[in-house]
Amino acid sequence: HFFSLISPTIGSQITAHVMALDAHHCPGGVMFLFRGEFGCLMYTGDFQWEVDNERAKDARSRLLNVLKNETTDVLYLDNTYCNPSFDFPTREVAAQ
């Protein structure tokens, strides 16, 4: 989706692009990829990354395809639940 906004740094209108990407966390969970004159910015939102999960491998492949070797200038990781004091069930158990 393309949208316009007034840049707070230059004071003029700029156009930006935002894309929602499946976060593979829960139904409807998305990450946002923003592109514009400010560069490329990714906001992960809440996510659950499982290295050996087939869905995660597919998601990684799709994300790399979307980025097309473009550098991500800013990455906002929502790592609220990365603290080892949290003990969450696997995605499969939670879905049941």
Side-chain angles (χ1 to χ4, degrees):
H1 179 75
F2 287 93
F3 62 96
S4 297
L5 51 87
I6 302 297
S7 169
T9 55
I10 60 175
S12 62
Q13 184 172 327
I14 63 170
T15 300
H17 176 257
V18 62
M19 178 184 292
L21 302 161
D22 190 344
H24 290 281
H25 173 61
C26 60
V30 296
M31 299 181 286
F32 292 102
L33 182 65
F34 295 90
R35 291 183 173 125
E37 295 177 20
F38 48 80
C40 182
L41 180 148
M42 182 164 196
Y43 173 71
T44 65
D46 185 17
F47 70 100
Q48 182 177 0
W49 192 261
E50 296 171 321
V51 176
D52 57 353
N53 181 290
E54 285 304 314
R55 289 181 64 204
K57 290 177 185 177
D58 180 52
R60 180 173 46 247
S61 175
R62 283 186 282 128
L63 176 59
L64 291 174
N65 187 45
V66 166
L67 289 172
K68 297 179 179 148
N69 297 322
E70 182 176 351
T71 299
T72 302
D73 301 297
V74 179
L75 176 63
Y76 288 101
L77 289 172
D78 181 344
N79 60 0
T80 305
Y81 298 107
C82 286
N83 187 319
S85 67
F86 295 106
D87 184 24
F88 292 101
T90 64
R91 186 184 333 264
E92 289 77 18
V93 170
Q96 290 175 0

